[in-house]
Amino acid sequence: MSSKRPQPYFSRSQVTLVRGLWMLVTAVLAFMTLFPLLWMVSIGFKPAAESFSSNLIPQSPTLDNFVYVLTGVPFLRYMANSFLVSATVTIVALFFHTMAGYALARLRFPGREVMFLSIFSTFLVSLPVIIVPLFVIVKAMGMLNSYAGLIIPAIFNAFGIFLLRQYYLSLPKEIEEAARIDGAGYWRIYWSVILPLSRPIMSALAILFFLANWNPFLWPLTITSDPNLWVVQLGIANFKSQYSASWNYMMAASTIVAIPTLILFVIFQRQIMDSLKTSGLK
């Protein structure tokens, strides 16, 4: 009995050609992504007179730009403000978002689906659309020029609630039923069972929240006029005046600001990708 092997649809040379084209496209996209970062770092090491030169490698590299950014202006205070806002928003948002995600995934109450769709629909609304009514509300509550004004409006995040709801839907119900048989209520189940099981998704969300709140510009610019409350993005923008800009200082400051986010992403990139796969977004 003779067995005839099926012929491949594409020849080996065609498969090699397609792979080569994909690798070329990937290399071009990677270069387009990395080149602005390399250019930023390059200008950060250039003196002011060399800022607009076309050479990527500085002819006279200097650390004066970084020294001025860290000592000539209160940039460390700006970074401390950004860290305080980012860390507080991350912790508070995780606490409330886990409760909201658990309720929308497990509890049965009238209007649950409408509430979830209402939260989900806020994905379509960007900050510039609601910034005027949000400013009016914050002003009426007396939170202008305050850390509360920077932190509280940034806590709500529909993506976090959606991601947690999707994660809780994937948890087996038998775990909660066993806790209920032992006499645990909703709060005890949430605190003693759900939260410990949420550590992987919470760690990924913590990174995403921190990175998202490390780089805000429009909202802090809208509600803060006190330089002591400026975050790093406002500090960088301060290097630009009406008629000129100190690009060497701006790029040096941008390099300093990018370092914590790059370190976080490199260390926790697996958790970020796992969270996206869990939510079904990938």
Side-chain angles (χ1 to χ4, degrees):
M1 182 177 179
S2 62
S3 61
K4 187 176 181 181
R5 299 180 60 183
Q7 295 296 322
Y9 191 76
F10 295 103
S11 64
R12 183 180 295 274
S13 60
Q14 289 174 322
V15 172
T16 304
L17 178 62
V18 171
R19 286 179 178 173
L21 288 175
W22 275 115
M23 292 179 65
L24 179 62
V25 172
T26 304
V28 172
L29 293 176
F31 178 77
M32 292 173 63
T33 303
L34 291 176
F35 185 77
L37 296 176
L38 296 176
W39 193 257
M40 175 186 72
V41 176
S42 171
I43 297 179
F45 283 98
K46 291 178 179 177
E50 198 185 339
S51 296
F52 294 99
S53 62
S54 58
N55 53 318
L56 184 60
I57 300 176
Q59 294 178 352
S60 305
T62 177
L63 292 175
D64 291 346
N65 300 326
F66 295 93
V67 173
Y68 175 78
V69 167
L70 294 175
T71 59
V73 295
F75 200 74
L76 292 178
R77 182 180 181 86
Y78 304 154
M79 293 191 71
N81 288 338
S82 288
F83 180 80
L84 175 65
V85 172
S86 303
T88 306
V89 169
T90 300
I91 295 172
V92 177
L94 282 179
F95 179 68
F96 287 112
H97 287 19
T98 50
M99 287 196 290
Y102 174 63
L104 292 171
R106 293 302 199 200
L107 305 188
R108 302 289 178 184
F109 55 88
R112 187 186 68 162
E113 296 303 322
V114 174
M115 185 179 297
F116 172 68
L117 290 176
S118 300
I119 294 173
F120 190 76
S121 64
T122 60
F123 274 129
L124 304 175
V125 183
S126 60
L127 177 61
V129 177
I130 62 171
I131 194 166
V132 173
L134 189 60
F135 175 81
V136 172
I137 294 173
V138 170
K139 182 180 179 182
M141 297 178 70
M143 294 192 299
L144 293 182
N145 278 321
S146 68
Y147 286 109
L150 290 170
I151 292 171
I152 293 176
I155 290 175
F156 174 77
N157 189 305
F159 175 73
I161 297 174
F162 168 75
L163 203 64
L164 286 161
R165 176 184 178 272
Q166 298 302 106
Y167 180 77
Y168 293 144
L169 286 175
S170 66
L171 294 179
K173 293 183 179 179
E174 290 77 8
I175 298 175
E176 296 173 67
E177 292 172 355
R180 256 187 225 104
I181 291 174
D182 291 338
Y186 285 125
W187 176 257
R188 181 68 180 276
I189 294 174
Y190 162 76
W191 189 260
S192 301
V193 178
I194 297 300
L195 276 187
L197 292 175
S198 307
R199 285 175 184 168
I201 190 71
M202 287 177 66
S203 60
L205 273 178
I207 300 162
L208 293 176
F209 286 168
F210 188 88
L211 295 181
N213 289 282
W214 180 257
N215 296 312
F217 176 76
L218 182 58
W219 180 245
L221 178 66
T222 304
I223 68 161
T224 57
S225 56
D226 184 358
N228 291 326
L229 294 173
W230 283 1
V231 295
V232 287
Q233 302 304 327
L234 296 185
I236 293 174
N238 194 42
F239 290 119
K240 183 179 180 181
S241 63
Q242 185 176 1
Y243 301 106
S244 63
S246 304
W247 290 105
N248 51 331
Y249 296 146
M250 293 177 69
M251 295 300 105
S254 300
T255 303
I256 296 172
V257 171
I259 290 174
T261 59
L262 288 176
I263 293 174
L264 278 176
F265 184 78
V266 170
I267 295 176
F268 298 105
Q269 58 178 323
R270 175 173 293 181
Q271 285 86 343
I272 294 175
M273 296 307 298
D274 288 344
S275 66
L276 296 179
K277 287 187 287 186
T278 303
S279 67
L281 295 178
K282 183 183 179 186

